[in-house]
Amino acid sequence: MTPTSYPESGLVNSAGINGANLVSWEIPLEDWERVIDINLNGIYRCCRAVVPGMIAAGYGRIVNVASVAGKEGNPKAAQYSASKGGVIAFTKSLGKELADSGVRANCITPAAIETPLFEQVSAAHVAYMKSKIPMGRFGIPAEFAAMVAWMASEECSFTTGGVFDLSGGRSTY
């Protein structure tokens, strides 16, 4: 494969929100539905829109942004954790469905990355997130971007339905 063998065709689904930091039974239904709609249904809608064209072209790369919270669950973030767990399961299904099409679908499960999302949660919750990372620091956007760039490249040719951790040692499975 040469870098010009295929037309550029990629989708990175990275939009997301945290929602309220409350115990599960106190999350307002409207907040639960909003987080699920943006974080999970939004990814589904985007994939639904682009996958047929990628299949027709015989090539494509889809990178869905999940979270380590989708693998482990975070206290006081059940709606966020559930939405990101759904992204992981959806990506696994989509990747298998597309395996023989030339289209690859994978997801990345970062721990906390220093972004404006930190402004949506309390300082106590930010400290809790950092305490779970064995490296003792948050990821930085450049580290995230490098992994996504590879996942969206032609070099990521034998992986589909994969889940790639970017967690500073938090997730090791």
Side-chain angles (χ1 to χ4, degrees):
M1 260 185 265
T2 63
T4 57
S5 327
Y6 299 104
E8 301 274 335
S9 183
L11 170 66
V12 177
N13 281 309
S14 65
I17 60 170
N18 289 315
N21 289 122
L22 299 167
V23 291
S24 303
W25 58 94
E26 292 179 359
I27 298 168
L29 183 58
E30 299 78 24
D31 188 68
W32 178 275
E33 291 173 343
R34 182 170 180 255
V35 171
I36 297 292
D37 193 45
I38 291 169
N39 294 1
L40 178 58
N41 296 338
I43 284 177
Y44 169 74
R45 288 180 188 110
C46 290
C47 288
R48 188 172 189 270
V50 303
V51 164
M54 289 178 170
I55 292 171
Y59 180 85
R61 296 292 183 266
I62 298 168
V63 179
N64 293 327
V65 179
S67 169
V68 68
K71 296 175 87 174
E72 298 181 358
N74 281 347
K76 296 188 175 181
Q79 71 282 48
Y80 181 80
S81 299
S83 71
K84 295 303 185 172
V87 170
I88 293 167
F90 172 67
T91 303
K92 288 175 177 273
S93 295
L94 182 64
K96 289 176 181 180
E97 292 166 351
L98 295 169
D100 64 354
S101 70
V103 180
R104 304 290 172 253
N106 295 291
C107 70
I108 185 171
T109 54
I113 305 293
E114 288 188 75
T115 69
L117 279 177
F118 280 18
E119 297 167 12
Q120 296 179 18
V121 296
S122 68
H125 192 71
V126 171
Y128 168 78
M129 291 186 299
K130 190 173 186 178
S131 75
K132 295 295 208 177
I133 301 171
M135 284 188 178
R137 68 173 180 87
F138 295 118
I140 59 173
E143 292 166 321
F144 177 85
M147 185 172 276
V148 170
W150 176 77
M151 294 168 68
S153 74
E154 287 185 46
E155 286 76 26
C156 185
S157 59
F158 193 61
T159 301
T160 193
V163 180
F164 292 86
D165 291 336
L166 183 67
S167 68
R170 178 174 170 181
S171 287
T172 55
Y173 58 96

